[in-house]
Amino acid sequence: PDDSAVRCARLTAPLDRGAPNARGRTVELALSRVPARTERKGTLLVHPGGPGTPGRRWAARTASSLPAEVRDHYDVVAFDPRGTGASTPAVSCDSSYFTPPRPDTVPESPADSSRMIERAADYAAACADSSAPLLEHMTTADSAGDIDAIRQALGLERIDYLGYSYGSLLGAVYATLHPDRVRRLVLDSAVHPGRPWYESNLRQSRSLDDAAQNFFAWTARHDGAYDLGATPGETAAAYYATRAELAARPAEGTVGPAELESAYLIAAYTTATWPELASALADHAQGDSAALVAAHEKYGESPEDEPSYGAYLATQCTDSHWPEEPRTWLEDGAETHAEAPFHAWSNTWYNMPCASWPAQSRTWFDVDGGAVDDALLVQATEDGPTPLPGAFAMRER
């Protein structure tokens, strides 16, 4: 925004804080700051979620949306977490991984499942080849240590923090480790602090399906505009029929079923996309796939997103333990798909590199906010990515 005089900086931090005297290899964090317009009374550190998502742009984005009385008196600081964006070194594993069209995520045979298992293992091996030293130090606790390094570099006794989605967990871990360094703490769309990632992702697949049903119901209520069906079941059937058509013949040779899932996942995140996505389905039903391809280009994953995916896995795969036996993944994937077909298999394969991840996994961090003075939690009841029970669990912690 025009009124945001963004300043950039880099901060050197230890790669491994557990090493003797924390000496040796380092990481460089890329930061941005939008200064207060008048007298500074606080510094708000913002984290947009992820994991794996670069965050620098959120300083300007957040500052531009703050009420004037807050914007005037707060510096807003954001950063690319270690391994992401312009922070160095950055995780990058296989730039071709998201080249379309990707394999269909729903296996029709044991051979299909075997190919997807092998694809996940190959990606994990590629990460080991390209980012090995960094992978051992990408946990949420490592990033919480970086937050405290940022606080110290800014010369602050205490810091204010706003975290969305995964950023809520990062803020909670930081507050557990450094409760005396937290001033104001705002956690929006809370990750469940008592569910390690494998369990959390199984639950998330079901809540994403619930959120998608809201999209299908909305589209049905506007059948006069889209002609995709007058009931949620009919509009859902139109979506899955499109998926089957794309499996047989990808739109413009690039948008297959995996790309459709990737693009339409945004429907479970924000209602603002619903008219655009419904129109694209309606156009496709009439033989015009241009809007469907455009939706994929706008919302779906592309090769440019691969570094964020690698960094996502680098955190999730080491934050907690994962099943190593493929049968466990296949059985849980099939059971979840039977109840929640919108994204269950896609979510399964997305995380399956963790089954053979080259870095050591840790015991899930036990969030305990008992020593934190106060916190504000914000949550939507119909949240798909971070279901409502997580907010109540976080409030108890």
Side-chain angles (χ1 to χ4, degrees):
D2 293 339
D3 70 340
S4 297
V6 180
R7 300 173 182 175
C8 298
R10 304 188 72 82
L11 176 65
T12 300
L15 174 66
D16 179 10
R17 290 186 172 83
N21 300 319
R23 292 175 181 170
R25 292 181 174 179
T26 60
V27 296
E28 271 201 347
L29 306 175
L31 295 91
S32 65
R33 175 171 61 186
V34 178
R37 289 187 292 213
T38 60
E39 178 191 5
R40 179 174 61 83
K41 296 182 179 179
T43 297
L44 177 63
L45 184 66
V46 183
H47 190 284
T53 304
R56 281 177 305 155
R57 71 176 65 181
W58 281 73
R61 181 171 180 174
T62 302
S64 67
S65 64
L66 290 174
E69 63 270 23
V70 181
R71 171 74 179 86
D72 286 345
H73 298 291
Y74 270 81
D75 285 0
V76 183
V77 176
F79 67 109
D80 289 347
R82 59 171 55 203
T84 74
S87 293
T88 56
V91 177
S92 183
C93 305
D94 178 1
S95 60
S96 67
Y97 192 75
F98 289 117
T99 300
R102 289 178 275 153
D104 192 341
T105 59
V106 178
E108 299 292 342
S109 68
D112 290 343
S113 297
S114 294
R115 279 191 291 271
M116 295 301 283
I117 293 169
E118 183 178 359
R119 176 175 161 83
D122 287 347
Y123 187 82
C127 291
D129 290 341
S130 62
S131 307
L134 182 59
L135 299 186
E136 294 287 351
H137 308 289
M138 283 284 292
T139 68
T140 299
D142 287 316
S143 288
D146 292 339
I147 289 178
D148 205 53
I150 292 171
R151 178 195 62 77
Q152 293 178 56
L154 293 171
L156 301 172
E157 182 178 345
R158 296 198 298 167
I159 201 164
D160 299 289
Y161 179 89
L162 167 61
Y164 299 94
S165 190
Y166 167 73
S168 71
L169 181 66
L170 177 57
V173 170
Y174 177 75
T176 301
L177 294 170
H178 305 283
D180 57 330
R181 299 303 185 186
V182 176
R183 185 166 172 253
R184 293 186 172 98
L185 181 68
V186 182
L187 308 179
D188 188 326
S189 308
V191 169
H192 198 302
R195 287 183 181 152
W197 290 126
Y198 183 76
E199 179 186 349
S200 180
N201 286 324
L202 290 174
R203 178 63 187 89
Q204 184 191 62
S205 291
R206 291 170 169 83
S207 63
L208 290 171
D209 197 278
D210 291 341
Q213 298 308 315
N214 291 335
F215 166 62
F216 296 140
W218 178 89
T219 305
R221 291 198 299 273
H222 297 279
D223 184 47
Y226 304 114
D227 195 28
L228 291 169
T231 68
E234 290 173 344
T235 55
Y239 170 82
Y240 289 112
T242 298
R243 191 189 186 287
E245 292 171 14
L246 296 175
R249 188 173 65 180
E252 297 187 10
T254 59
V255 179
E259 288 70 32
L260 182 77
E261 288 174 337
S262 174
Y264 275 72
L265 178 60
I266 192 68
Y269 280 73
T270 171
T271 60
T273 62
W274 289 0
E276 182 180 1
L277 297 177
S279 292
L281 283 178
D283 288 353
H284 178 79
Q286 298 300 317
D288 183 358
S289 298
L292 203 63
V293 174
H296 168 254
E297 292 174 347
K298 185 175 181 180
Y299 300 118
E301 288 160 323
S302 67
E304 290 73 29
D305 298 308
E306 184 275 326
S308 290
Y309 174 55
Y312 161 91
L313 291 171
T315 296
Q316 289 224 348
C317 295
T318 55
D319 260 354
S320 61
H321 302 308
W322 297 76
E324 296 181 2
E325 175 55 54
R327 177 182 295 180
T328 302
W329 294 75
L330 296 179
E331 290 176 352
D332 288 341
E335 179 181 342
T336 307
H337 176 78
E339 301 174 14
F342 181 69
H343 209 65
W345 275 119
S346 182
N347 213 6
T348 297
W349 305 125
Y350 197 82
N351 291 282
M352 198 171 190
C354 292
S356 54
W357 195 249
Q360 181 181 357
S361 63
R362 275 73 160 183
T363 300
W364 181 247
F365 188 95
D366 187 24
V367 168
D368 180 1
V372 177
D373 288 342
D374 201 3
L376 172 66
L377 275 70
V378 183
Q379 185 77 25
T381 56
E382 303 283 330
D383 193 316
T386 50
L388 177 62
F392 290 112
M394 186 70 83
R395 185 180 64 173
E396 285 201 16
R397 299 293 182 105

